[in-house]
């Protein structure tokens, strides 16, 4: 299984990515988690990307590709769930170019959640967790980046007939069941 999960901040894609990975045995590659771990470890990459994460802006493509391509290559046989990458048409094109023979993406699931629900969830998470990018200004910016960069990516995969849209406004278990059914798990 070579799957891309797309969802706005607050859509639950991280939670669902983990669940799908457990169920399918595919490798969960979550770029936001990987980048936060680098920042926390104060690695060279972490220091380079910290400002982008804090402001909710996309990290430059080349840094993302350097981080993710080796992981994607390593998971070629077990399969993978890409969570948070690609996040723009440019990244999707580069992913295909760098993947050589065979398609890097077999299926794309977009977890669609109404905007008002996303904002409510993100504000709740801001109150509960200690994520630097969960405050009101950054939330607005992350949603703006989603609209400008990631919505075109949804159209890109729809045109390639790879996209399925999943109703993400339901509970965790219900959305999980819809996602699993969509990929025949
Ligand atoms: P997430 O946890 O997926 O919401 O990602 C948190 C932050 O990591 C984003 O706001 C970006 O700053 C950065 N990030 C994650 N994935 C990518 C990506 N594919 N391209 C660029 N930046 C990314």
């Amino acid at each position: 299984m070579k799957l891309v999960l797309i969802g706005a901040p607050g859509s639950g894609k991280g939670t669902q990515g983990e669940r799908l990975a457990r169920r399918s045995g595919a490798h969960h590659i979550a770029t936001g988690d990987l980048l936060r771990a680098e920042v926390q470890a104060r690695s060279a990459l972490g220091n380079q990307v910290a400002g982008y994460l804090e402001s909710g802006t996309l990290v430059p493509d080349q840094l993302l590709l350097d981080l993710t391509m080796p992981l994607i290559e390593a998971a070629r046989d077990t399969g993978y769930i890409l969570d948070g990458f690609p996040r723009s048409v440019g990244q999707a094109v580069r992913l295909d170019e760098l993947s050589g023979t065979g398609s890097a993406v077999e299926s794309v699931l977009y977890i669609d959640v109404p905007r008002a629900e996303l904002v409510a969830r993100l504000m709740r998470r801001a109150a509960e967790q200690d994520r630097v990018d969960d405050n009101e200004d950054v939330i607005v910016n992350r949603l703006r980046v989603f609209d400008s960069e990631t919505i075109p990516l949804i159209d890109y995969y729809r045109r390639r007939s790879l996209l399925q849209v999943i109703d993400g406004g339901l509970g965790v278990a219900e959305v999980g069941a819809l996602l699993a059914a969509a990929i025949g798990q």
Side-chain angles (χ1 to χ4, degrees):
M1 174 169 66
K2 292 174 179 161
L3 177 72
V4 171
L5 262 190
I6 299 178
S11 63
K13 86 183 150 50
T15 305
Q16 296 296 348
E18 270 169 36
R19 287 171 63 104
L20 271 184
R22 269 203 305 273
R23 205 178 174 124
S24 65
H27 200 70
H28 183 213
I29 300 175
T31 47
D33 291 349
L34 293 168
L35 291 167
R36 277 186 289 278
E38 296 286 337
V39 172
Q40 217 153 24
R42 297 180 188 275
S43 67
L45 174 63
N47 293 337
Q48 262 178 297
V49 302
Y52 295 98
L53 267 77
E54 268 167 41
S55 64
T57 307
L58 293 191
V59 167
D61 285 355
Q62 196 56 49
L63 294 180
L64 248 294
L65 291 163
D66 291 347
L67 178 71
T68 49
M69 287 314 297
L71 301 174
I72 293 171
E73 288 296 328
R76 203 180 264 273
D77 294 337
T78 40
Y80 46 75
I81 296 168
L82 301 183
D83 167 354
F85 174 83
R87 223 170 172 106
S88 65
V89 173
Q91 289 184 359
V93 169
R94 292 289 287 141
L95 171 62
D96 281 336
E97 284 170 1
L98 291 172
S99 299
T101 53
S103 178
V105 178
E106 293 166 351
S107 181
V108 180
L109 302 179
Y110 168 41
I111 306 176
D112 188 17
V113 177
R115 186 55 54 105
E117 171 68 16
L118 286 176
V119 174
R121 288 186 193 176
L122 288 165
M123 296 307 288
R124 246 192 335 265
R125 190 164 79 182
E128 286 165 7
Q129 295 182 9
D130 193 23
R131 258 181 73 156
V132 288
D133 55 357
D134 271 349
N135 65 63
E136 197 167 349
D137 287 349
V138 179
I139 286 170
V140 168
N141 192 38
R142 290 170 72 213
L143 290 171
R144 197 182 295 133
V145 169
F146 180 80
D147 290 342
S148 63
E149 300 293 329
T150 310
I151 294 284
L153 177 68
I154 294 169
D155 293 334
Y156 173 89
Y157 282 131
R158 182 180 283 122
R159 282 197 299 275
R160 277 160 184 70
S161 306
L162 293 172
L163 184 82
Q164 295 182 72
V165 180
I166 303 298
D167 180 356
L170 309 169
V172 173
E174 285 93 340
V175 176
L178 290 176
L179 290 166
I183 52 168
Q185 290 279 321

